[in-house]
Amino acid sequence: MEPVELQAAEAETLVTPRVTGPSGGARLRQARESRHLSVDQVASELRLTPRQIIALEEENFAQLPEPTYVCGYVRAYAKFLQLASNEVVDAYPNLEALRADKVPVVESRITSADLAAVHADIPFSLAALTVLLVVVSAWYFSRNSDTSVVPSALEISAKQPTVDSTPIPETVPTLTAEEAESDGFVTPDATPALAVEQMPESRVADDAVATVTDAAQEISVPAVASSASAELETASAAVVAAEPEVTSTVDMPTDATPAAPAIAASVPDRVAVTAVDSASSPELLPASQLVITYAQDSWTDITDARDMHLLYKLGRAGSQIMLTGVAPFRVFFGYAPGVALTLNGDPVNMTPYQSMAKVNIKIGSKRHNTLAFTVRADETTETLADKAPELADQDLEQARKVLRQSVADDGAQVTAVASPGTGKKTATKAPVQRKTERDDFGAQMAPPIRDKSTSSNKSEGRTRSGPAPITNLFD
Amino acid sequence: MFSKIFGIFSNDLSIDLGTANTLIYVRGQGIVLNEPSVVAIRQERGPGGPRSIAAVGHEAKRMLGRTPGNIVAIRPMKDGVIADFTITEKMLQTFIKKVHEDKFRFFRPSPRVLICVPCGSTQVERRAIRESAAGAGAREVYLIEEPMAAAIGAGLPVSEARGSMVLDIGGGTTEVAIISLAGIVYSASVRIGGDRFDEAIINYIRRNYGTLIGEATAEHIKKNIGTAYPGDEVREIEIKGRNLAEGVPRSFIINSNEILEALQDPLAGIVSAVKTALEQTPPELGSDVAERGMVLTGGGALLRNLDRLLTEETGLPVVIAEDPLTCVARGGGRALEMMDEHGGEIFAME
């Protein structure tokens, strides 16, 4: 039911101070007596017992029920006697508590502004959460993008030191093909796996690099970190030499535990590392290097196994472009006779295509005799460090020569391990897992191809945490 | 997860979600909101377009029966239960937000809410109320039967082994209950309340004066000259309505005896419910009730001489509770406190 308005007198009592004068019971008695009413008459009228009426007049609360009832009785009694009921109630001592209990009704009005507030109610929590999410994801992706180029189209591996390299006293001198700059696909970010960093003290890749210079390709020369090497806590170094015959990957992780750091120097002859059994070495990234030398202008369109466009441009006469990607490549030349192509340093026979101008070929599959290699650091069979913990650079070089020889002999894969922190250098010979590539394009490429992000994560992890199995060997 | 955290910034609320008015009681603050349960909905961009809330509460109530085509003023509660679930939820949301507006504004209020439901409401109706409150942002929803809340709010000794009879006349329902030992011994709910009084007045005036009046006018009449028992004085009021025969508005004067006659029907319903309750009450409790009488709460208790009518009809003392309009809300608030003090199982709450 709709609220019937409080009568004015009742409303006033909320603020009226207690009435002075005779108490409530006395007033009631006086009024009853002045009207010549007996207690019984009043009792029958109010449907109360005479005992209750007397108790009300005497204010004998022990004989009366709870204040709620007493208040009601008093009101009824006062009303019957035509007294101002509120005044009488106020004059009762024990009903004060009941009054005090009364809570004021706040007259609040819902206005249009309130409605607007309600409807524009985007919870703060949600907003905060969204902002947080955006910030975190932005940070995550920006962080990731530094390293996520591992499998990406092109790589000039020695362009600059990797992002996560630790304080290093010297920068990396690089010999880079000049075309690298002009090529639109050049990515400034080096991947950790391919990164060339300082190789303190040890010049492991030196010999490998030395033989390379004639190849007119990009050559990465690891820096010689001088005496500062001792201070280096972290030297995660990977040397990728673009030389056709030698790949050296040097991996010197942060902690100087003897087992962890490793320099992998693998010297496979005329080998392109393309497909790798992911089971035996899940960390490996198959990548091949393609060098295109233009004698004449030719439109070039190169796609690798991941359907990634490595190159899509007009190659100018006299220029040279180096690409890294996953073999096999689909190559299209607008003018094939004007182009010389090498795959992992291996000249691709272009003579069948000399007669035609446009060529659309697939290279990097079996007919180019590509092989798969895996190198595992934990499968060391021979550790030079055991014999000579304090091996000098020459020792390592010597070891590498020996190892290379052994590779040449029996196809075994060689891993050279150097530990800058301890000065310990080991060269290990690992059993070769050689796998001839299959013809099937998809089957061949399937295992090593990974999601871009995962592979980037993995490669990042490897560079940092060193002990992981050594790396792909780009040739 | 967040609701618990935000609960720190929210008050415990006791809501008397009534057919006519919604009251919110906040512990330690009292009744902080007393608004009519009316929502005005604006239909934007023609039929089928988006609907938005134009007004809630007093503002919306003023629109009742005075709206243009694109606004409709709705009373989402009917007979003490939810008639329009979505609108009720929106209304509750607005109210809860309003109650918390001076608190931390950034947080969506997430209070513990105790809502009073008619004891005659079905499980489906209770669930609708519960979900509506949850949808409006309540962290936890407790339901308590209205007569119990009314009895607590009126200050009756509900937890004693004594029968207390309470009659709560609301906008949509009248609840009568006998309470002892913090439980309801007998309860009945009749769907007669202030709205039925208004309807009865409208019908009476149409029948006897051939004039149509609106609900707001009927309510105005009821509040000003409505009476349940013939009194010493006869009051009069001038009202205006549309004469059905002439089709033009006419004004006329109506007195309280006519309204008394008009209200006979619903009043008889209430009296009969009370008598039935007394019949059904176990004798020991009946004697307790006879000794102390029954307590009237709710807006209906403010109908003039209603206590007198009930006294005459039942022969029992009838007491009007202090501040009967807020009894249920206050009782709910007190129940929340008792729940904290006694561990929650003191009342038969759901």
Side-chain angles (χ1 to χ4, degrees):
Chain A
M1 179 172 182
E2 270 313 309
V4 178
E5 288 167 0
L6 286 176
Q7 287 173 10
E10 286 179 36
E12 275 170 22
T13 58
L14 292 174
V15 288
T16 309
R18 192 178 161 189
V19 181
T20 52
S23 70
R27 287 190 192 200
L28 289 171
R29 185 197 294 272
Q30 284 169 9
R32 176 176 62 82
E33 287 170 350
S34 68
R35 284 174 176 76
H36 309 291
L37 292 167
S38 72
V39 171
D40 288 343
Q41 278 175 306
V42 174
S44 69
E45 182 66 29
L46 299 180
R47 306 295 197 278
L48 294 171
T49 60
R51 177 179 50 85
Q52 284 174 314
I53 299 295
I54 293 166
L56 279 176
E57 289 179 355
E58 293 174 353
E59 297 177 5
N60 181 2
F61 289 94
Q63 296 285 317
L64 292 167
E66 285 72 27
T68 305
Y69 291 104
V70 174
C71 189
Y73 299 159
V74 171
R75 279 186 198 285
Y77 197 176
K79 198 174 162 191
F80 173 65
L81 297 173
Q82 295 175 334
L83 296 174
S85 59
N86 286 308
E87 284 179 21
V88 180
V89 170
D90 286 341
Y92 260 86
N94 272 26
L95 300 181
E96 284 291 311
L98 196 70
R99 284 273 176 187
D101 215 23
K102 203 165 173 178
V103 285
V105 175
V106 179
E107 278 300 310
S108 64
R109 294 291 166 100
I110 305 277
T111 60
S112 310
D114 296 326
L115 288 176
V118 168
H119 298 302
D121 179 29
I122 299 169
F124 177 71
S125 56
L126 200 67
L129 207 67
T130 313
V131 170
L132 196 72
L133 215 72
V134 166
V135 169
V136 167
S137 56
W139 172 78
Y140 181 80
F141 284 118
S142 68
R143 203 171 149 275
N144 244 16
S145 65
D146 291 341
T147 56
S148 62
V149 252
V150 176
S152 77
L154 239 193
E155 161 134 333
I156 306 301
S157 54
K159 278 304 287 175
Q160 84 281 320
T162 39
V163 280
D164 51 357
S165 62
T166 44
I168 285 162
E170 294 186 16
T171 52
V172 183
T174 57
L175 296 171
T176 311
E178 51 280 348
E179 290 82 16
E181 286 285 2
S182 62
D183 194 297
F185 284 85
V186 170
T187 52
D189 295 330
T191 73
L194 304 175
V196 172
E197 295 179 15
Q198 285 75 0
M199 195 169 54
E201 204 60 37
S202 66
R203 307 190 54 159
V204 175
D206 217 11
D207 62 333
V209 171
T211 61
V212 168
T213 46
D214 60 324
Q217 291 172 338
E218 173 205 357
I219 296 161
S220 310
V221 181
V224 178
S226 56
S227 58
S229 65
E231 304 157 21
L232 282 181
E233 293 203 2
T234 311
S236 158
V239 176
V240 177
E243 194 262 334
E245 293 176 4
V246 174
T247 293
S248 298
T249 303
V250 181
D251 199 343
M252 285 190 253
T254 59
D255 46 353
T257 58
I263 298 171
S266 112
V267 199
D269 256 353
R270 297 192 166 271
V271 162
V273 178
T274 51
V276 175
D277 189 341
S278 60
S280 65
S281 179
E283 308 273 326
L284 289 187
L285 275 174
S288 303
Q289 204 171 56
L290 208 57
V291 178
I292 306 147
T293 313
Y294 294 95
Q296 304 199 36
D297 288 359
S298 170
W299 177 261
T300 314
D301 176 5
I302 296 177
T303 315
D304 77 350
R306 295 160 301 180
D307 278 344
M308 196 174 277
H309 263 285
L310 303 184
L311 194 63
Y312 189 74
K313 66 176 273 190
L314 181 65
R316 291 291 178 186
S319 67
Q320 191 176 52
I321 292 176
M322 193 192 71
L323 307 166
T324 308
V326 179
F329 302 91
R330 287 179 186 280
V331 181
F332 173 82
F333 289 117
Y335 184 66
V339 181
L341 191 63
T342 60
L343 174 66
N344 293 326
D346 216 0
V348 176
N349 186 9
M350 297 292 282
T351 44
Y353 317 119
Q354 291 299 325
S355 54
M356 41 186 145
K358 291 178 188 168
V359 165
N360 198 349
I361 52 172
K362 185 163 92 173
I363 60 169
S365 52
K366 189 180 178 182
R367 62 194 150 119
H368 292 290
N369 194 24
T370 54
L371 294 172
F373 278 86
T374 61
V375 179
R376 294 182 70 93
D378 48 353
E379 292 176 7
T380 54
T381 52
E382 184 185 347
T383 309
L384 296 179
D386 293 341
K387 301 170 195 165
E390 301 299 327
L391 271 182
D393 288 350
Q394 311 104 287
D395 296 332
L396 190 65
E397 283 179 33
Q398 209 169 2
R400 289 166 55 78
K401 278 174 191 165
V402 170
L403 289 167
R404 194 187 305 155
Q405 189 56 48
S406 72
V407 168
D409 289 343
D410 57 11
Q413 188 115 19
V414 174
T415 306
V417 181
S419 156
T422 58
K424 207 171 170 183
K425 296 179 181 63
T426 63
T428 61
K429 191 163 114 183
V432 172
Q433 298 179 11
R434 179 182 298 211
K435 190 169 77 183
T436 315
E437 277 190 53
R438 282 160 278 171
D439 261 333
D440 182 351
F441 181 80
Q444 178 194 4
M445 296 323 301
I449 294 173
R450 288 191 199 95
D451 182 81
K452 189 175 175 178
S453 60
T454 46
S455 46
S456 75
N457 288 342
K458 281 182 180 172
S459 62
E460 183 188 54
R462 180 175 61 247
T463 348
R464 287 185 171 173
S465 65
I470 320 224
T471 79
N472 48 335
L473 313 167
F474 298 97
D475 230 62
Chain B
M1 178 184 81
F2 286 113
S3 63
K4 282 208 170 157
I5 300 165
F6 296 156
I8 300 165
F9 305 109
S10 303
N11 297 316
D12 287 353
L13 306 180
S14 153
I15 302 181
D16 175 12
L17 187 59
T19 311
N21 290 294
T22 296
L23 284 86
I24 297 185
Y25 175 93
V26 177
R27 238 158 89 170
Q29 293 180 34
I31 304 283
V32 294
L33 183 131
N34 182 3
E35 295 268 348
S37 306
V38 186
V39 181
I41 307 286
R42 178 184 286 118
Q43 180 86 50
E44 284 163 8
R45 297 200 288 278
R51 299 201 302 168
S52 66
I53 294 180
V56 178
H58 288 104
E59 213 174 312
K61 195 183 176 187
R62 276 199 296 278
M63 297 180 181
L64 267 178
R66 296 189 173 101
T67 51
N70 66 331
I71 295 178
V72 55
I74 295 174
R75 299 179 62 177
M77 305 290 292
K78 206 166 188 65
D79 293 340
V81 294
I82 290 177
D84 190 324
F85 185 84
T86 320
I87 304 296
T88 307
E89 190 177 307
K90 284 284 170 203
M91 184 180 76
L92 271 180
Q93 198 178 341
T94 311
F95 288 160
I96 291 175
K97 182 87 179 174
K98 172 79 180 171
V99 167
H100 285 89
E101 71 178 353
D102 53 339
K103 282 243 165 185
F104 301 83
R105 300 200 65 142
F106 288 131
F107 298 101
R108 176 198 281 270
S110 163
R112 286 199 308 167
V113 167
L114 182 139
I115 296 189
C116 309
V117 292
C119 55
S121 56
T122 62
Q123 288 297 321
V124 176
E125 290 162 343
R126 286 173 194 219
R127 184 169 173 160
I129 287 177
R130 181 191 290 277
E131 290 187 357
S132 187
R139 180 166 93 251
E140 286 173 61
V141 184
Y142 305 100
L143 300 183
I144 186 172
E145 294 192 322
E146 257 168 40
M148 175 61 85
I152 297 169
L156 304 190
V158 288
S159 48
E160 289 177 21
R162 265 195 292 172
S164 305
M165 183 168 179
V166 66
L167 179 66
D168 177 46
I169 304 172
T173 59
T174 292
E175 318 267 327
V176 55
I178 314 283
I179 293 162
S180 177
L181 289 171
I184 290 177
V185 178
Y186 170 88
S187 74
S189 176
V190 287
R191 304 216 159 175
I192 297 170
D195 293 346
R196 286 288 298 276
F197 294 158
D198 297 344
E199 272 176 46
I201 292 170
I202 292 171
N203 290 337
Y204 179 86
I205 289 173
R206 189 173 58 204
R207 201 164 52 238
N208 294 283
Y209 288 84
T211 303
L212 208 57
I213 58 166
E215 280 177 33
T217 308
E219 192 184 326
H220 181 68
I221 295 167
K222 177 185 72 183
K223 284 183 178 178
N224 283 284
I225 63 167
T227 179
Y229 196 77
D232 305 330
E233 53 173 347
V234 175
R235 298 168 175 225
E236 288 183 342
I237 191 173
E238 182 182 352
I239 54 165
K240 296 177 183 66
R242 174 158 58 89
N243 189 298
L244 286 168
E246 299 172 34
V248 289
R250 285 272 176 269
S251 82
F252 54 96
I253 290 173
I254 194 165
N255 67 36
S256 56
N257 283 338
E258 288 172 298
I259 301 304
L260 173 65
E261 195 186 331
L263 296 178
Q264 280 311 302
D265 214 23
L267 287 174
I270 290 172
V271 167
S272 113
V274 171
K275 283 183 172 172
T276 310
L278 290 169
E279 274 172 32
Q280 302 285 328
T281 307
E284 285 300 328
L285 296 174
S287 80
D288 291 340
V289 171
E291 165 129 9
R292 293 178 300 159
M294 73 180 84
V295 175
L296 281 184
T297 65
L302 295 171
L303 183 66
R304 203 165 282 104
N305 289 334
L306 182 62
D307 53 339
R308 185 83 189 281
L309 171 74
L310 290 167
T311 302
E312 296 299 327
E313 291 286 342
T314 60
L316 298 178
V318 175
V319 167
I320 296 174
E322 287 292 299
D323 203 2
L325 278 171
T326 62
C327 269
V328 172
R330 280 186 291 128
R334 179 77 191 116
L336 265 179
E337 287 166 26
M338 288 161 114
M339 209 166 64
D340 285 349
E341 289 161 15
H342 301 286
E345 294 310 313
I346 184 162
F347 300 112
M349 282 190 291
E350 292 170 56

